[in-house]
Amino acid sequence: MRVQSLTLAAASAALLATTTPPAAQIPPTVRRESTVSAAELLAKVRDCAPISHGRYRSDNGAPANIPVCGTREAVFWKADMDIDCDGRPGPRCNSRTDPYFAASTAYAQSDGRPLSAERLPFIVVPAPSSLWDYRDHGIGGGSVVAVVHRDRVRYAVVGDTGPQGIIGEASYATAKALGIRADPHGGGAPSGVTYIVFKNTKVSPIEDHAEAVTEGERLARRFAHWTRAEAE
């Protein structure tokens, strides 16, 4: 930081005092992203009622031991996190940084262009197969997702599809938000990531992350505090 004179500093402070909006006017995107704790959400997905017709692998050659589980309001799985850098190229996601880079995503943003993996938090769901078809459970492009890693909860959308037999992948931006190394070549997390996708939800336009956060907080709060009595 450059050293300023006391006069300039005082003038800057006076200007800031007259131009800074009160707290109530600060855009919602600067607030803490989740008002629901990781522990609260994980307590709701401790038990698994499988809805997939078998189990997924975390990577090629890994054991097939990951089921997709279902609840009244959501589907979820617990896996690793591989880094998806596909979509609109940028300085961090392109054919030079990612040897498997593809300049497309299964779902496009409102202007028809592919999503930006390095800017938009989104997750990857397995392509439909006899193992599991996400579309049969109210899931599609723009569905709201809570992603939990350690003590962090971050919100994203469904934005891309991957191999039919592999699960556990999210965009560069999702990994970065969770404090996971986002390098598409060797980054990610080997385990400990929980993906909770809320049924029959959709952020529109899909690239509106602020809306994903707002909806995610509302849905996560309802999910975390939902009781059997409320369902009856």
Side-chain angles (χ1 to χ4, degrees):
M1 180 181 293
R2 295 185 178 89
V3 178
Q4 299 180 351
S5 68
L6 292 176
T7 301
L8 181 57
S12 298
L15 180 61
L16 183 63
T18 60
T19 59
T20 301
Q25 297 180 17
I26 295 176
T29 52
V30 303
R31 66 187 173 183
R32 185 166 65 93
E33 182 155 333
S34 180
T35 57
V36 179
S37 72
E40 288 177 300
L41 287 176
L42 293 177
K44 290 296 182 179
V45 296
R46 185 175 295 117
D47 300 321
C48 175
I51 58 173
S52 55
H53 305 292
R55 301 191 173 206
Y56 285 91
R57 304 178 190 275
S58 59
D59 296 290
N60 282 323
N65 57 8
I66 304 170
V68 176
C69 313
T71 74
R72 173 177 173 266
E73 296 181 319
V75 304
F76 68 91
W77 55 91
K78 302 176 183 181
D80 63 340
M81 181 182 285
D82 295 325
I83 307 302
D84 184 358
C85 243
D86 294 342
R88 199 162 74 253
R92 298 173 181 85
C93 288
N94 54 66
S95 59
R96 296 183 304 277
T97 62
D98 182 1
Y100 304 106
F101 177 76
S104 62
T105 48
Y107 298 98
Q109 58 184 37
S110 56
D111 61 4
R113 293 189 297 170
L115 303 180
S116 170
E118 64 183 60
R119 295 177 62 88
L120 181 67
F122 65 80
I123 73 160
V124 179
V125 293
S129 70
S130 59
L131 187 58
W132 181 58
D133 189 337
Y134 62 90
R135 300 170 300 183
D136 293 339
H137 299 270
I139 307 299
S143 290
V144 181
V145 187
V147 189
V148 185
H149 177 63
R150 296 179 178 172
D151 62 348
R152 293 189 181 186
V153 180
R154 295 294 183 264
Y155 299 105
V157 293
V158 172
D160 204 358
T161 59
Q164 291 182 339
I166 295 176
I167 204 166
E169 187 176 4
S171 68
Y172 179 103
T174 306
K176 188 173 181 181
L178 287 165
I180 294 171
R181 185 183 172 210
D183 182 357
H185 188 62
S191 62
V193 182
T194 300
Y195 304 78
I196 304 170
V197 188
F198 297 104
K199 297 178 181 178
N200 303 309
T201 60
K202 185 174 184 177
V203 172
S204 183
I206 193 172
E207 67 269 22
D208 188 348
H209 179 58
E211 179 64 17
V213 172
T214 298
E215 274 298 283
E217 286 183 338
R218 181 183 69 82
L219 293 162
R221 190 178 305 112
R222 185 176 70 181
F223 183 71
H225 300 146
W226 176 79
T227 64
R228 184 174 296 277
E230 292 174 322
E232 297 174 348

